Amino acid sequence: MKLRARRAGLAATAILGVAALAGCSSATGSAADASGTLVELSDDQQVEIVFESYNLANVGTWSDAINQLLDEFMVEHPNISVVGQPSSSAGTAASVQQQLLAGAAPDIAQLTFNELDFAATTLGAQNLTALVGQEGLDAQFGGEYPYHERAAVLADWDDAAYGLPYVFSTPVLWTNAEAFAAAGLDAETVDLSTWEAVSEVAATITAATDAPSLSISCVITGGSWCMQGLFRSNGADVLSADRASIEFGSDAAIETVQTFTDMFESGILTNEDSTSQYEAFAQGKTAIHVNTSALQGAFMMGAEAGGWQLGARTLPAFDDQAVVPTNSGSFLAMFATDPAKQAAAWELMQWMTSERAYEIISTQIGYLPLRSSMTEEGGPLHEWVAQNPLVKPNLEQLDALEPWVSYPGDSYAQVDQVLATAIEESIYYGADPTATMREAADRAQGLIE
């Protein structure tokens, strides 16, 4: 909790220096030439670029897949050397900011979508619409397997693209079939379509095990992307459409938090941090877990090692309201200012969002293929999806996806922390949800004004 706050504080104190640097480096305006201003590298021109990625910090499934793609890229582009640089997903923008101030920013960075406003307005991410041109962007998002229409625009800001949507997922309800069976339930057929139904099932399993059987990553620190989807699914927003007002103090938002407060008070919901939650589920200690589909690979390995069957469902609904999943994940932003490095960076950005990239990223990690038509009959991922039905809820939710909202201003991370603290205090520590959420909304409003 404190780490994010410290990084947000650093962002606030260093903002003037970064703004000055950004003013020199970021392309401007929406009146870009259709073909852009990007130069071309000659075949023998040697360039080294730095790619900062939080996936590289996750040893195992994540880093192995990304390193494989980087190695393949350098084989196909022998004149471009890529230095992979790991970072934390909780503060990649802060890492980039520090390096900008030191005069050595990465050429490309994998940023989470809550950092989009900050990246575009303050940090100096390149305006790709101006740099690459609309023709270049259309070619990148098109092709034999084009980007899903909801995915292609996720890194747009003020009518321009400030990055390429890269990897993301939707929140999935994961199940342990053996834990269900031990309580006399069939995980494949039991109703889990609403939160009320989930609560009833979890209560049955808890009664059989005398331990909480449900964990939800959305309601603890680090789960803000997922919690936004829960709010939206219950008719609440975190930010007004004009981006001027914090909305998570509304009656609908309070009611959403109260739903999970009731679950904890009834003894079915665990009180664990994010890492403990997914590790416990992977070890077969929890029957139901809500978390990103990007953990599919880790859960599959846990199920195989523990001898239990992993299942996946779409996010539950609040009564008869439509489910509105929000996306986790990231976009690739360019910070290179040297023309040759920009050209090399664009080549890598295209590669990391290519058909080949999503073959590796989706099958090895579990992220959504943003070129979703790859999963249709005749596509390179069609057979894989048929053999791996766990991915189907994630693909289904892509059609109803709404973007992870980034808060305005330089205190976006502090707003997230204020909200996460209010949710945790309401659900786990006896604070009154109405008073706590409204007070948090008031505090957050002051941070964005």
Side-chain angles (χ1 to χ4, degrees), residues 144-145 359 372-384:
E144 183 178 6
Y145 302 105
E359 285 186 56
S372 55
S373 58
M374 293 172 65
T375 66
E376 298 172 0
E377 188 170 358
L381 291 177
H382 176 68
E383 184 175 344
W384 174 74

Side-chain angles (χ1 to χ4, degrees), residues 21-91:
L21 289 169
C24 296
S25 64
S26 181
T28 60
S30 57
D33 185 272
S35 59
T37 60
L38 194 71
V39 303
E40 290 188 14
L41 293 177
S42 60
D43 292 339
D44 60 351
Q45 187 173 1
Q46 298 295 314
V47 182
E48 181 180 275
I49 56 174
V50 176
F51 172 44
E52 182 157 336
S53 166
Y54 63 77
N55 286 139
L56 290 172
N58 298 317
V59 177
T61 304
W62 294 271
S63 60
D64 289 349
I66 303 309
N67 279 318
Q68 178 181 341
L69 286 170
L70 295 181
D71 289 343
E72 290 185 13
F73 173 81
M74 287 186 282
V75 169
E76 292 200 14
H77 300 78
N79 61 321
I80 303 175
S81 297
V82 182
V83 177
Q85 182 169 287
S87 67
S88 167
S89 63

Side-chain angles (χ1 to χ4, degrees), residues 389-408:
L390 292 172
V391 75
K392 291 181 180 179
N394 201 21
L395 286 168
E396 181 182 336
Q397 292 185 142
L398 182 56
D399 291 332
L401 183 78
E402 291 197 6
W404 179 4
V405 172
S406 63
Y407 297 106

Side-chain angles (χ1 to χ4, degrees), residues 56-382:
L56 290 172
N58 298 317
V59 177
T61 304
W62 294 271
S63 60
D64 289 349
I66 303 309
N67 279 318
Q68 178 181 341
L69 286 170
L70 295 181
D71 289 343
E72 290 185 13
F73 173 81
M74 287 186 282
V75 169
E76 292 200 14
H77 300 78
N79 61 321
I80 303 175
S81 297
V82 182
V83 177
Q85 182 169 287
S87 67
S88 167
S89 63
T92 306
S95 172
V96 172
Q97 183 182 48
Q98 290 175 325
Q99 293 171 81
L100 270 169
L101 291 170
D107 300 291
I108 306 169
Q110 177 188 6
L111 301 178
T112 49
F113 284 104
N114 65 318
E115 297 170 324
L116 176 59
D117 181 308
F118 184 65
T121 62
T122 300
L123 202 55
Q126 291 294 320
N127 178 335
L128 297 181
T129 303
L131 183 65
V132 178
Q134 193 58 52
E135 292 177 355
L137 289 174
D138 289 345
Q140 165 60 17
F141 291 132
E144 183 178 6
Y145 302 105
Y147 262 60
H148 191 286
E149 62 181 5
R150 287 183 179 267
V153 298
L154 288 177
D156 285 4
W157 192 255
D158 196 20
D159 298 322
Y162 280 87
L164 294 183
Y166 175 42
V167 294
F168 69 72
S169 62
T170 62
V172 172
L173 187 143
W174 301 100
T175 60
N176 178 329
E178 277 58 41
F180 277 63
L185 301 169
D186 185 341
E188 292 189 5
T189 61
V190 70
D191 182 18
L192 296 171
S193 62
T194 67
W195 285 109
E196 182 180 4
V198 170
S199 296
E200 292 176 358
V201 169
T204 299
I205 299 173
T206 292
T209 61
D210 198 30
S213 56
L214 169 66
S215 55
I216 303 172
S217 65
C218 318
V219 300
I220 47 90
T221 297
S224 64
W225 68 273
C226 174
M227 192 65 197
Q228 287 189 13
L230 299 186
F231 282 138
R232 290 288 293 114
S233 298
N234 200 30
D237 290 298
V238 295
L239 188 67
S240 61
D242 63 2
R243 300 184 56 77
S245 301
I246 295 294
E247 298 290 325
F248 52 70
S250 68
D251 290 344
I254 293 166
E255 180 185 85
T256 306
V257 172
Q258 184 65 57
T259 297
F260 302 105
T261 301
D262 293 342
M263 291 182 186
F264 178 70
E265 291 178 349
S266 68
I268 65 173
L269 183 66
T270 66
N271 181 5
E272 301 171 298
D273 62 31
S274 178
T275 300
S276 298
Q277 279 193 20
Y278 78 72
E279 287 181 348
F281 182 75
Q283 293 165 9
K285 297 177 180 178
T286 314
I288 308 170
H289 180 51
V290 179
N291 210 327
T292 169
S293 65
L295 292 170
Q296 177 179 311
F299 291 158
M300 289 175 67
M301 288 189 291
E304 183 178 359
W308 52 274
Q309 182 180 347
L310 177 66
R313 301 281 193 96
T314 55
L315 197 64
F318 288 87
D319 300 321
D320 58 353
Q321 299 185 76
V323 174
V324 184
T326 45
N327 61 283
S328 69
S330 60
F331 63 101
L332 299 179
M334 185 191 297
F335 294 94
T337 56
D338 174 79
K341 287 182 178 289
Q342 287 181 336
W346 178 241
E347 290 291 338
L348 180 60
M349 291 170 73
Q350 292 178 94
W351 170 257
M352 297 303 288
T353 55
S354 66
E355 289 90 340
R356 174 57 179 166
Y358 287 121
E359 285 186 56
I360 299 298
I361 288 168
S362 297
T363 59
Q364 295 188 23
I365 300 177
Y367 283 118
L368 272 169
L370 303 193
R371 300 180 183 275
S372 55
S373 58
M374 293 172 65
T375 66
E376 298 172 0
E377 188 170 358
L381 291 177
H382 176 68

